[in-house]
Amino acid sequence: MDETLIRRIQDNPKFTELVRKKTSLGWLLSIVMLAIYYGFILVIAFSPTTLGTPLFAGSVTTIGIPAGVVIIVSAFVITGIYVRRANTEFDQLNAELVKEVHS
Amino acid sequence: MISPLRSRGAAAAALLCTTLPTLAADAISGAVQQRSLNWHAIVMFFIFVAFTLGITWWASRRTRSTKDFYAAGGGISGFQNGLAIAGDYMSAASFLGISALVMTSGFDGLIYSIGFLVGWPIITFLVAERLRNLGKFTFADVASYRLAQTPVRTFAAVGTLVVVALYLIAQMVGAGKLIQLLFGMSYSSAVIMVGVLMVLYVTFGGMLATTWVQIIKAIMLLAGATFMAVMVLAASGFSFEAMFQTAVAGHPKALAIMSPGGLVSNPVDAISLGVGLMFGTAGLPHILMRFFTVKNAKEARKSVFVATGFIGYFYILTFIIGFGAIMLVLGKPEFTETIMKDGNPVQQLIGGANMAAVHLAGAVGGDYFLGFISAVAFATILAVVSGLALSGASAVSHDLYANVFARGHADEAREIRVSKIATVVLGIVAIVLGIVFENQNVAFMVGLAFAIAASANFPVLFLSMFWKGLTTRGAVIGGLVGLISAVVMIVLGPAVWVKTLGHAAAIFPYENPAIFSMPLAFISIWIVSVLDTSARGAREKALFLPQFIRAMTGIGAEGAAQH
């Protein structure tokens, strides 16, 4: 990449927009995932009985079971949200940017 | 029989808890008895081998350039790569170890599965596409993008080889013992066979063959596990409540299996384990290498999404399989044997707790299905070691030979030849060490591999992509601090100091060092880089902008091969 191309990309508002959108969504979703996981671990470490509460009166199934499954599903869904936005909106923006700076 | 079962469960749990990904090696940490030959399993395994060797032959005709050899020509689709990544992750350790952990401890098994999974979204957001846009064949390409080639590539190659070697030894020892149990073959013949097949796949078929072996095995494993889970649910009328009721009624720990138990009683260790798993995954060279097999960043993202889905699904299956084992296998006389342990007779599952899924396969699907699952377990090990061998070989040929020794002017054909020689050498080393370590407890090795990946490879890779201020000096010194501290903490910790070396008490109290060693690496890299006022350091900081633009936009990134 030569100096002029670098300058053109850097000065293009679409580049700023792309960087802002991509990084903020990436960090936001990372924090959500970390919060869910470490929240779960902290509940286990400091209040293990919470997850052992029966799901409904008389059941052996505890709250912990659906909670665990929900975390697994949430990892998949959160990844899906990012990939969907990145592969449509961000890539579109990226394609426009590449076209502009090369023209 | 309750108390011996309980103590056996506790022992297994304690072992498993140390270093999670070691489950397979763990399984197999004690002496095992050779069984009579299991013909169903052997025949099915040889069908798998014949088929995958056919694929290797096909792949060898399509493997010409270095790009073909290291990255399957960049022509793997996002979906295929997702399955291959899932295959790399769904090792025999996860399958046999986690279902065994669910059988002995119930809910705690789910906690571990979750720890394995949650690193993947983070990899998607922070690593996958930047890595794809910046790199070519190895993660060292990215780490050394704007830094001095020789020191950074040498460091990355050392990080890769150490992780690969530890992982490989654990897999080899695990393979030998597992095959002894499942197939009735001798330990050394099993280790030699795994080593030879691994070398054949990699030297002839390169990444293309390695990827397809992984994909086929992933499909077989997912299909087998799905069948078992459905059969388990069918046995309880497709009601989870009914399944849990039967399990609680038949388990010596009764209701305790439905809530968190003792495994995660220590918050520091629990969080440290989570850190090690999450960021270790993002620093495993054989996994990172897979992102270069797809066409562009879009396919790279898609592949992690697919991988996360299959891995999550697989862990839900292993949870059901573990409960199935409680209902149909645990405590049943036909699956129980009495062994002598410390002079006392102890009742256990035939072959140990890690055979839970294998016995369950027999219970729900008969001899043929038992043979199928045994063959899948073997195929799993084979596929995982092939990916490891390719990754280790590329560190030698692409990083050390082509970029350090030949200063980036290596002839392609010669580079591939070096890679093949490195694969053969790795194969021989793996076989020899596999045999040497037969009677050693290698349970700590995969844990150590993850800890080093999280403390040495990941910080350097991450900061090279995210932090302008990183310099060569910071990366090498800080990375070495992470590597050495992870090794020292594991050696002085309970897994090696007490369980392997036999001392009474550990000097370092925690099983999992990542929560200490990883921040130590980050801080060291930061301090050394900030203090680096050399002209080279200033130049490296200035080169961040073009690198950042390429990472974000993919302008200038490696494209797919034109064939």
Side-chain angles (χ1 to χ4, degrees):
Chain A
M1 256 187 276
D2 57 62
E3 284 292 324
T4 45
L5 181 61
I6 290 170
R7 181 124 321 147
R8 286 177 74 175
I9 295 171
Q10 201 188 359
D11 292 342
N12 192 307
K14 286 199 167 133
F15 178 67
T16 329
E17 190 190 346
L18 178 72
V19 170
R20 185 173 43 80
K21 282 190 170 165
K22 209 190 257 186
T23 40
S24 60
L25 182 69
W27 284 110
L28 174 75
L29 294 177
S30 299
I31 291 165
V32 169
M33 192 70 245
L34 291 170
I36 292 175
Y37 176 59
Y38 288 104
F40 179 68
I41 294 291
L42 290 176
V43 170
I44 290 166
F46 294 105
S47 174
T49 47
T50 309
L51 291 170
T53 318
L55 195 58
F56 51 88
S59 72
V60 268
T61 311
T62 52
I63 290 178
I65 307 281
V69 174
V70 164
I71 296 177
I72 291 180
V73 174
S74 74
F76 180 64
V77 171
I78 290 174
T79 311
I81 292 171
Y82 179 82
V83 172
R84 198 187 159 83
R85 274 196 70 188
N87 281 2
T88 54
E89 191 189 333
F90 301 166
D91 274 359
Q92 172 73 32
L93 193 61
N94 199 4
E96 287 166 18
L97 169 71
V98 171
K99 212 172 150 197
E100 280 177 24
V101 296
H102 282 298
S103 60
Chain B
M1 68 169 273
I2 288 174
S3 68
L5 244 180
R6 193 172 270 168
S7 68
R8 159 82 205 170
L15 261 175
L16 290 166
C17 139
T18 56
T19 39
L20 242 158
T22 48
L23 310 175
D26 253 8
I28 353 217
S29 52
V32 293
Q33 282 177 331
Q34 198 166 321
R35 312 268 144 188
S36 54
L37 288 176
N38 176 350
W39 286 108
H40 295 115
I42 292 174
V43 168
M44 277 185 240
F45 177 71
F46 277 100
I47 294 172
F48 171 84
V49 168
F51 187 61
T52 48
L53 285 176
I55 287 177
T56 306
W57 176 78
W58 164 81
S60 70
R61 295 161 53 104
R62 279 159 185 75
T63 300
R64 298 268 174 275
S65 64
T66 48
K67 190 173 178 82
D68 297 329
F69 187 78
Y70 296 126
I76 303 290
S77 77
F79 185 82
Q80 291 163 349
N81 192 40
L83 260 178
I85 292 173
D88 264 325
Y89 217 58
M90 298 183 298
S91 57
S94 324
F95 178 55
L96 302 178
I98 294 198
S99 50
L101 187 57
V102 173
M103 182 189 76
T104 52
S105 317
F107 186 78
D108 282 352
L110 190 61
I111 303 174
Y112 281 94
S113 309
I114 291 171
F116 273 114
L117 185 69
V118 291
W120 287 100
I122 310 288
I123 292 178
T124 320
F125 310 145
L126 303 180
V127 178
E129 59 183 274
R130 290 174 190 241
L131 192 75
R132 176 65 192 79
N133 282 341
L134 291 173
K136 200 172 169 193
F137 302 141
T138 63
F139 90 89
D141 291 337
V142 181
S144 68
Y145 189 87
R146 68 192 153 98
L147 304 182
Q149 294 293 310
T150 302
V152 176
R153 284 209 188 251
T154 309
F155 164 75
V158 169
T160 300
L161 288 170
V162 170
V163 169
V164 164
L166 289 166
Y167 223 124
L168 207 50
I169 294 171
Q171 293 284 335
M172 283 307 229
V173 174
K177 302 222 165 154
L178 195 65
I179 290 161
Q180 227 176 327
L181 270 170
L182 294 179
F183 290 65
M185 291 163 74
S186 79
Y187 177 88
S188 49
S189 62
V191 167
I192 291 169
M193 193 160 81
V194 170
V196 169
L197 285 170
M198 164 184 106
V199 169
L200 288 178
Y201 291 146
V202 175
T203 50
F204 289 102
M207 184 51 114
L208 190 57
T210 309
T211 302
W212 279 102
V213 169
Q214 200 60 271
I215 291 174
I216 292 163
K217 162 244 144 164
I219 294 170
M220 282 166 58
L221 182 55
L222 285 166
T226 302
F227 174 75
M228 281 165 78
V230 169
M231 294 302 281
V232 167
L233 288 176
S236 40
F238 292 97
S239 155
F240 280 95
E241 177 67 16
M243 178 178 88
F244 292 136
Q245 267 171 3
T246 323
V248 167
H251 200 286
K253 292 180 187 163
L255 258 178
I257 60 170
M258 299 305 295
S259 32
L263 284 192
V264 202
S265 54
N266 180 339
V268 175
D269 247 335
I271 293 173
S272 190
L273 176 69
V275 168
L277 281 179
M278 189 176 252
F279 300 106
T281 305
L284 291 177
H286 65 296
I287 301 251
L288 294 172
M289 204 177 168
R290 293 224 166 272
F291 290 108
F292 305 120
T293 65
V294 293
K295 182 163 89 212
N296 51 30
K298 184 178 244 157
E299 295 297 311
R301 289 183 206 114
K302 213 185 280 174
S303 57
V304 219
F305 177 58
V306 170
T308 310
F310 280 121
I311 295 168
Y313 172 66
F314 175 73
Y315 286 139
I316 292 175
L317 294 180
T318 48
F319 189 65
I320 298 170
I321 289 169
F323 271 90
I326 297 175
M327 295 190 335
L328 304 169
V329 172
L330 188 68
K332 300 277 184 286
E334 64 270 37
F335 299 117
T336 307
E337 65 181 358
T338 306
I339 56 155
M340 295 303 284
K341 198 172 189 180
D342 306 325
N344 301 311
V346 175
Q347 287 200 304
Q348 67 162 28
L349 217 57
I350 296 176
N354 283 295
M355 288 296 110
V358 174
H359 291 311
L360 182 67
V364 300
D367 280 348
Y368 284 97
F369 189 66
L370 174 72
F372 175 76
I373 287 294
S374 305
V376 167
F378 195 174
T380 294
I381 292 179
L382 209 47
V384 171
V385 293
S386 303
L388 287 166
L390 181 60
S391 169
S394 344
V396 173
S397 59
H398 180 63
D399 296 328
L400 292 181
Y401 171 73
N403 283 295
V404 173
F405 180 73
R407 309 264 163 206
H409 300 295
D411 168 60
E412 274 203 30
R414 191 172 288 172
E415 185 179 336
I416 295 180
R417 204 173 320 130
V418 171
S419 203
K420 290 182 177 181
I421 295 167
T423 310
V424 174
V425 172
L426 263 173
I428 294 168
V429 170
I431 291 171
V432 170
L433 291 180
I435 291 171
V436 168
F437 281 93
E438 176 179 356
N439 295 313
Q440 302 295 315
N441 184 348
V442 295
F444 67 91
M445 282 190 181
V446 179
L448 182 55
F450 263 72
I452 291 174
S455 317
N457 302 356
F458 175 72
V460 172
L461 177 66
F462 180 82
L463 290 177
S464 76
M465 298 190 295
F466 280 82
W467 186 43
K468 182 177 189 279
L470 177 74
T471 69
T472 299
R473 214 179 280 169
V476 173
I477 296 176
L480 283 174
V481 167
L483 198 155
I484 293 165
S485 59
V487 172
V488 169
M489 286 179 204
I490 292 241
V491 169
L492 299 181
V496 175
W497 200 251
V498 180
K499 282 174 200 146
T500 309
L501 298 176
H503 294 275
I507 297 174
F508 177 75
Y510 302 107
E511 304 266 5
N512 305 289
I515 202 173
F516 304 102
S517 55
M518 191 176 92
L520 203 59
F522 271 104
I523 293 167
S524 312
I525 296 173
W526 180 74
I527 292 176
V528 176
S529 296
V530 167
L531 294 179
D532 183 358
T533 52
S534 64
R536 183 179 72 182
R539 221 168 32 242
E540 288 164 352
K541 288 172 190 173
L543 285 170
F544 183 75
L545 180 66
Q547 180 199 327
F548 180 69
I549 289 174
R550 173 164 159 179
M552 277 287 141
T553 62
I555 296 172
E558 288 286 322
Q562 304 301 316
H563 60 86

